[in-house]
Amino acid sequence: QVQLVESGGGLVQAGGSLRLSCAASGRTLSLSAVGWFRRAPGKEREFVAAIRWSGGRTKSADSVKGRFTISRDNANNTVYLRMNSLKPEDTAVYYCASARRGWSEEYEYEFWGQGTQVTVSS
């Protein structure tokens, strides 16, 4: 199993920045990727960004391209999501999740953190 703990959420004004962290522990050698997802009030959970654990290849949703950057620190088993130019529509609970095989489909992410709230005020 893999345990994931998110941190770094909070309240920020529109145009501001936050950096989320996802600390992984447990069977991290089995990871293929770590992703960030979010669930806004009244909406379905959606993909935000993901990074391959080995090699560092990344991908992100069109809605955050150019504003959010995902990165990893393998030595510390931590994945970051740097969020710039935040908008009120980015308000959501942000979750990190880990995958052992693949990284393209939500069902491939087996273990999930508890989530961290991000609120962007206008």
Side-chain angles (χ1 to χ4, degrees):
Q1 282 197 342
V2 176
Q3 294 79 42
L4 302 167
V5 179
E6 303 98 333
S7 61
L11 173 64
V12 64
Q13 288 188 330
S17 299
L18 282 174
R19 189 181 77 162
L20 305 183
S21 299
C22 173
S25 60
R27 298 175 63 88
T28 56
L29 290 178
S30 66
L31 293 180
S32 69
V34 172
W36 285 97
F37 296 78
R38 65 186 182 187
R39 188 194 300 272
K43 294 188 177 181
E44 297 287 320
R45 186 167 61 193
E46 65 174 357
F47 169 78
V48 176
I51 187 165
R52 294 290 254 180
W53 198 248
S54 176
R57 184 180 168 194
T58 65
K59 60 179 179 179
S60 58
D62 288 343
S63 59
V64 305
K65 273 190 172 69
R67 299 189 299 123
F68 291 11
T69 302
I70 189 170
S71 62
R72 81 203 191 292
D73 178 351
N74 282 26
N76 291 306
N77 291 334
T78 301
V79 172
Y80 303 99
L81 185 68
R82 177 68 180 181
M83 305 185 296
N84 295 329
S85 302
L86 282 161
K87 305 174 182 179
E89 51 264 44
D90 294 318
T91 294
V93 178
Y94 284 71
Y95 301 89
C96 68
S98 65
R100 289 188 296 168
R101 299 179 184 86
W103 66 330
S104 298
E105 302 296 335
E106 188 171 319
Y107 72 83
E108 293 175 311
Y109 291 85
E110 299 173 283
F111 300 107
W112 294 77
Q114 81 289 350
T116 185
Q117 176 70 47
V118 171
T119 303
V120 184
S121 63
S122 56

